[in-house]
């Protein structure tokens, strides 16, 4: 089991940027796929993006492609989600999740993930 600690988020105007972080609390040396999801009020949790175990492969849903970028810093045991050109429809609670048995890209179904961060609020004003 991996404990994921999230940070970042906040309130930003449309067109602005934010960076979310997702860190393994126990400084684990294991490497695994990480997925990012978001959930807006009254909506289901939505898959956003994923990065593989070594950070050289990523996947983004069409709605964020070209605006969001994933990266990994192994020295800090952290995955970053850089979000640029934010839009009001990006407003949601963002979650990172670990699929510890998966070295490739993560899946889009939340049930495939073993461990979750507690979420961080992102609010984009128009």
């Amino acid at each position: 089991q991996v404990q994921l600690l999230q940070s970042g988020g906040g309130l930003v105007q449309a067109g602005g940027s934010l960076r979310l972080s997702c860190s393994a609390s126990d400084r684990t040396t294991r490497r695994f796929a990480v997925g990012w999801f978001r959930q807006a009020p009254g909506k289901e949790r939505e898959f956003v993006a994923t990065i593989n175990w070594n950070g050289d492969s990523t996947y983004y849903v069409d709605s964020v492609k070209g605006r969001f970028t994933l990266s990994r810093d192994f020295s800090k045991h952290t995955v970053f989600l850089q979000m640029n050109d934010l839009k009001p429809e990006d407003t949601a609670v963002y979650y990172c999740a670990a699929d510890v048995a998966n070295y490739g890209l993560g899946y889009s179904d939340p049930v495939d993930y073993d461990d979750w961060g507690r979420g961080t609020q992102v609010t984009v004003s128009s």
Side-chain angles (χ1 to χ4, degrees):
Q1 191 174 16
V2 178
Q3 286 190 315
L4 300 176
L5 301 179
Q6 293 187 233
S7 61
L11 173 63
V12 66
Q13 289 188 331
S17 298
L18 287 171
R19 188 175 78 161
L20 307 184
S21 300
C22 176
S23 301
S25 63
D26 61 354
R27 300 293 189 262
T28 179
T29 58
R30 290 179 291 165
R31 297 179 180 183
F32 38 79
V34 171
W36 284 85
F37 294 78
R38 65 187 180 186
Q39 189 165 18
K43 295 188 177 181
E44 292 187 353
R45 192 164 295 191
E46 173 190 26
F47 173 72
V48 176
T50 179
I51 188 166
N52 72 333
W53 75 278
N54 67 355
D56 69 353
S57 184
T58 55
Y59 175 83
Y60 307 90
V61 295
D62 287 345
S63 60
V64 307
K65 196 174 296 182
R67 301 187 297 121
F68 289 13
T69 303
L70 279 170
S71 61
R72 296 186 86 133
D73 184 334
F74 292 109
S75 66
K76 298 179 181 178
H77 305 273
T78 299
V79 171
F80 299 100
L81 178 64
Q82 177 67 41
M83 305 184 296
N84 298 328
D85 189 24
L86 283 161
K87 304 176 180 181
E89 52 264 41
D90 293 319
T91 296
V93 177
Y94 283 71
Y95 299 89
C96 65
D99 182 353
V100 297
N102 183 4
Y103 283 3
L105 292 174
Y107 298 100
S108 61
D109 192 335
V111 301
D112 291 311
Y113 292 82
D114 308 285
D115 303 294
W116 290 80
R118 297 182 67 176
T120 186
Q121 177 70 46
V122 171
T123 303
V124 185
S125 64
S126 58

